[in-house]
Amino acid sequence: MAEITAKMVAELRARTGAGMMDCKKALMEADGDFEKAVDILREKGLATAVKKAGRVAADGRVHAVVAEGERHGALVEVNCETDFVARGEQFINLCQQVAELVLSRKLNSMEELQEALGDTVKEAVARIGENIQVRRFARYEVAGAGRVHAYIHGEGRVGVLLEVEASSQEVADRPEVKELCHELALQIASMKARYVQPGDVPASEIEHEREILKAQAINEGKKPEIAEKMVAGRLQKFFKEVCLLEQEWVKDSSKTVGALVKEVAAQVGGELKVKQFARFEKGEGIEKRQDDFGEEVMRQAGLK
């Protein structure tokens, strides 16, 4: 049996919203396998807030640059140790420098970015006095007709980069399409969409979700054959949660985001397609020490 630590219990509680003792039992049942413990809690209906991206804790900021008539853009996440540094001019300038480098060099991988940066980050660490890491980036460049839009929320807490294809550049440059891109970015930022449409969800993730939903139904007392029929409906709910075009529009729940896109396309007399997007939330999935909370968990879970 793997050792179940207070830290593991605290992480599972933060990830799922389940009670501490339920988290401890799930970890014991899963023999310390974190993802299996998450599944166990979900199957038992105890996970109230599973956050697939992980707990947000690290500091820094998400930064974006859009150029070339809104046809080329980059979104970057740069991490540091404190919010004081993250709000400073030197750190913001570093984020701008990284994003501009991604654009100017048309970089496609972190390896390329690290090579292009050279000693830039080391020099920033020496000046600022904190550990700094360039964590990730996304870069979109329109090949035909379309536009790239960026949105940053909360002084770099959340950032979105979005690419929309259009039937012509004239259509893409219409004010209505610009406004649509902004609305889509707000939707992605607030509702945490992860895919454009159901067809983009990996088959392995759909199958995993199917098994979870079936187990939930069986644990609710449903017979296996009934549970199987219930899964289809619940999968549709899953798609409405994670797929942008299936979500209800936050400003008008009577229509989906997909319907909004079609509506604007009809207004401008052309075709519009959401090609891709990236959503970064600073520090997601990076744990930050919380000693006081850890002590509380240890006491209440009987681990100290």
Side-chain angles (χ1 to χ4, degrees), residues 94 119-133:
L94 173 64
D119 292 331
T120 300
V121 175
K122 291 181 181 179
E123 292 167 357
V125 170
R127 289 194 309 272
I128 296 172
E130 283 194 5
N131 183 29
I132 296 172
Q133 299 288 332

Side-chain angles (χ1 to χ4, degrees), residues 7 18 22 38 64 70 89 97 104-105 116 127 149 169 175 211 216 221 226 236 253 270 290 297:
K7 179 181 177 182
D22 289 324
V38 171
E70 299 186 22
E89 184 178 354
Q97 185 178 355
S104 63
R105 301 282 186 90
R127 289 194 309 272
H149 183 83
Q169 196 58 43
E211 292 302 317
Q216 283 179 351
I226 300 299
Q236 292 307 308
S253 60
Q290 292 184 315
V297 173

Side-chain angles (χ1 to χ4, degrees), residues 48 74 149 152 182 235 295:
T48 58
H149 183 83
I152 300 294
H182 182 62
L235 266 180
E295 289 288 326

Side-chain angles (χ1 to χ4, degrees), residues 59-73:
D59 239 300
R61 68 190 304 121
V62 180
H63 192 84
V65 172
V66 174
E68 298 176 23
E70 299 186 22
R71 291 173 53 82
H72 192 191

Side-chain angles (χ1 to χ4, degrees), residues 264-285:
V264 174
Q267 288 175 4
V268 299
E271 296 179 6
L272 297 170
K273 176 184 177 183
V274 179
K275 183 177 180 181
Q276 57 187 339
F277 66 83
R279 179 189 185 277
F280 292 169
E281 188 164 346
K282 72 169 183 180
E284 57 189 351

Side-chain angles (χ1 to χ4, degrees), residues 2-68:
E3 179 184 3
I4 308 303
T5 66
K7 179 181 177 182
M8 294 165 66
V9 175
E11 288 179 356
L12 187 58
R13 182 190 184 200
R15 172 91 172 262
T16 64
M20 284 181 290
M21 291 309 300
D22 289 324
C23 289
K24 181 183 177 184
K25 290 176 182 177
L27 283 164
M28 292 175 67
E29 185 177 340
D31 196 23
D33 185 318
F34 190 85
E35 294 301 327
K36 185 176 180 181
V38 171
D39 288 349
I40 289 171
L41 289 171
R42 292 188 65 201
E43 289 170 2
K44 293 181 178 179
L46 297 172
T48 58
V50 174
K51 302 171 184 177
K52 292 183 180 295
R55 184 158 59 98
V56 177
D59 239 300
R61 68 190 304 121
V62 180
H63 192 84
V65 172
V66 174
E68 298 176 23

